[in-house]
C-alpha cells in the first residue's frame, strides 16, 4: 500500500506564504493498492491537484472515493475534480453512508440557484454509490477495510486498511476524549498494532478546554493513543488553518519528545508519501 497526502489542512483551505511546507489544501489522500483502482480518501480541496495528476493517465479512469463525513473541508474540492468532468471515467463512492448525498448536494443546491454553474446530473463521469464499500467492513482486493465511528459533530467514520497483518489507520476529525459514543479504549483497540496511524491533531493540549465538542484532538492525546495501541509510526494531520508552518514544526517537536525514540512521529504535508510493504 502507498499513501499520498494531497491535502492536510483542517476546516478551510489556507494558501499563502505561511503554509508552504505543510500545505494549505484541505483533506484528501490517495491510497494505492497493488492490482486495485486508486482509493481516494475524502474530497477536500487537495483533490483538485490529485485529479489533475490522475488526468495524465488517460482513459479509462476507474476510481474509488471513500468519504469520512460531510463537512465542507472534506467535500468542496470535488467541484473541481477533473475526472468528474470526463466521459468514460468511473467513480464508486463509499465510506460514510451519506457520502453520495453530500457530493450531490454540492452541485444541486436546494437553497436556490446560484451556488455552482454545473448540476450533478450533467457531470459526464459515471458517479455512483457503491453498496459494497460500506461500514462496518468491506474488502478492496487483498485489503480488509474496517471502520469505526468518529467523535465529531454530525458523525463520520475512520478506516483501518489491513493486508497480511500490516495495517494503516486513518482517523481524521476525531475528538478522542470528546462527547460521543466512543472513548480512547475503543480507538486503542481499533488502532492496535497498526504500522501507521494518521490522526487528526488540530489542537494544542492547552486549547482543548475552549474547544470541547468541536470534534478534534490535541497532539498529546494522539501520541498517547499511538503509544497505547503499539503503533509503529504516527502522522499528525488536519492542521489548524490558523497554524503557520513554524507552529506545526513546534507541535511536531513536542510530539516527538513526548513519543520518545520508539515511536517516530511526523506531521502530514502535501506530497508526502508513506509506503507499507505488503
Ligand atoms: Zn475537517
Ligand atoms: Zn469535520
Amino acid at each position: 500500500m502507498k499513501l499520498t497526502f494531497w491535502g492536510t489542512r483542517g476546516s478551510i483551505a489556507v494558501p499563502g506564504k505561511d503554509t508552504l511546507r505543510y500545505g494549505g489544501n484541505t483533506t484528501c489522500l490517495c491510497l494505492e493498492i497493488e492490482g486495485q483502482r486508486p482509493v481516494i480518501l475524502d474530497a477536500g480541496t487537495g483533490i483538485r491537484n490529485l485529479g489533475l495528476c490522475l488526468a495524465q493517465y488517460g482513459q479509462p479512469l476507474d476510481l474509488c472515493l471513500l468519504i469520512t463525513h460531510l463537512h465542507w473541508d472534506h467535500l468542496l474540492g470535488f467541484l473541481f475534480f477533473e475526472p468528474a468532468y470526463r466521459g468514460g471515467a468511473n467513480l464508486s463512492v463509499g465510506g460514510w453512508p451519506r457520502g453520495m448525498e453530500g457530493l450531490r448536494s454540492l452541485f444541486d443546491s436546494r437553497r436556490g440557484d446560484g451556488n455552482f454553474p454545473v448540476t450533478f446530473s450533467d457531470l459526464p463521469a459515471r458517479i455512483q454509490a457503491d453498496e459494497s464499500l460500506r461500514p462496518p467492513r468491506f474488502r478492496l482486493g487483498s485489503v480488509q477495510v474496517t471502520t469505526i465511528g468518529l467523535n465529531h459533530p454530525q458523525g463520520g467514520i475512520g478506516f483501518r486498511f489491513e493486508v497480511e497483518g500490516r495495517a494503516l489507520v486513518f482517523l481524521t476529525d476525531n475528538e478522542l476524549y470528546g462527547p460521543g459514543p466512543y472513548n480512547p479504549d475503543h480507538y486503542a483497540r481499533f488502532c492496535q498494532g497498526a504500522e501507521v496511524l494518521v490522526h487528526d491533531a488540530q489542537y494544542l493540549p492547552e486549547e482543548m478546554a475552549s474547544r470541547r465538542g468541536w470534534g478534534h484532538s490535541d497532539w498529546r492525546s494522539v501520541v498517547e493513543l499511538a503509544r497505547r495501541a503499539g503503533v509503529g509510526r504516527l502522522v499528525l494531520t488536519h492542521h489548524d488553518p490558523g497554524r503557520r508552518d513554524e507552529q506545526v514544526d513546534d507541535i511536531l517537536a513536542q510530539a516527538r519528545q513526548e513519543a520518545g525514540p520508539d515511536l517516530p512521529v511526523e506531521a502530514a504535508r502535501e506530497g508526502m508519501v508513506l509506503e507499507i510493504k505488503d
Side-chain angles (χ1 to χ4, degrees):
M1 288 188 284
K2 186 170 124 181
L3 184 72
T4 305
F5 289 83
W6 293 88
T8 62
R9 194 64 54 171
S11 308
I12 191 166
V14 280
K17 62 181 175 42
D18 292 331
T19 58
L20 289 175
R21 279 189 288 118
Y22 292 102
N25 281 302
T26 64
T27 303
C28 177
L29 303 86
C30 187
L31 182 64
E32 292 167 73
I33 298 167
E34 204 176 314
Q36 292 294 305
R37 55 191 169 169
V39 179
I40 302 167
L41 305 175
D42 277 345
T45 63
I47 201 172
R48 179 179 173 275
N49 283 335
L50 170 58
L52 296 175
C53 180
L54 290 169
Q56 298 168 5
Y57 292 107
Q59 305 273 18
L61 269 181
D62 191 13
L63 307 167
C64 171
L65 171 60
L66 301 181
I67 300 289
T68 61
H69 67 305
L70 301 192
H71 287 162
W72 292 128
D73 54 324
H74 299 257
L75 291 182
L76 266 181
F78 193 77
L79 293 167
F80 295 92
F81 184 49
E82 201 272 353
Y85 293 85
R86 207 186 250 234
N90 187 53
L91 188 59
S92 300
V93 179
W96 184 236
R98 294 180 56 211
M100 190 69 186
E101 182 190 334
L103 294 177
R104 197 182 282 277
S105 70
L106 292 172
F107 296 82
D108 303 331
S109 172
R110 293 192 191 89
R111 295 182 296 276
D113 195 16
N115 291 114
F116 199 68
V118 180
T119 61
F120 187 83
S121 57
D122 285 340
L123 291 174
R126 186 169 177 270
I127 305 168
Q128 290 192 314
D130 188 334
E131 297 301 321
S132 71
L133 305 174
R134 287 288 175 87
R137 61 183 59 81
F138 54 90
R139 290 198 79 85
L140 293 167
S142 59
V143 176
Q144 176 71 52
V145 187
T146 49
T147 65
I148 190 169
L150 304 173
N151 286 332
H152 196 62
Q154 291 130 359
I157 52 171
F159 300 96
R160 178 180 174 115
F161 302 90
E162 184 154 3
V163 58
E164 291 174 11
R166 310 188 78 170
L168 160 74
V169 175
F170 176 54
L171 286 169
T172 189
D173 296 59
N174 187 41
E175 187 172 346
L176 285 167
Y177 289 89
Y182 303 94
N183 62 43
D185 293 341
H186 294 117
Y187 292 115
R189 277 198 294 277
F190 188 74
C191 298
Q192 194 62 46
E195 192 163 316
V196 176
L197 167 62
V198 181
H199 199 291
D200 167 358
Q202 182 157 346
Y203 297 136
L204 309 175
E206 55 270 32
E207 290 173 333
M208 285 309 296
S210 60
R211 288 164 172 75
R212 282 278 170 232
W214 290 21
H216 302 286
S217 294
D218 67 278
W219 63 260
R220 182 172 285 142
S221 303
V222 176
V223 169
E224 183 185 298
L225 169 72
R227 290 179 66 172
R228 206 176 140 194
V231 162
R233 184 176 176 191
L234 173 63
V235 182
L236 310 175
T237 191
H238 208 272
H239 308 307
D240 191 275
R243 214 80 74 194
R244 300 189 309 274
D245 282 336
E246 311 83 71
Q247 293 173 304
V248 179
D249 287 341
D250 287 346
I251 288 175
L252 182 57
Q254 291 178 75
R256 281 177 169 163
Q257 191 169 22
E258 180 98 357
D262 297 333
L263 173 60
V265 183
E266 288 168 77
R269 57 183 185 280
E270 273 178 43
M272 182 170 143
V273 178
L274 299 176
E275 296 231 36
I276 294 183
K277 301 270 179 258
D278 45 44

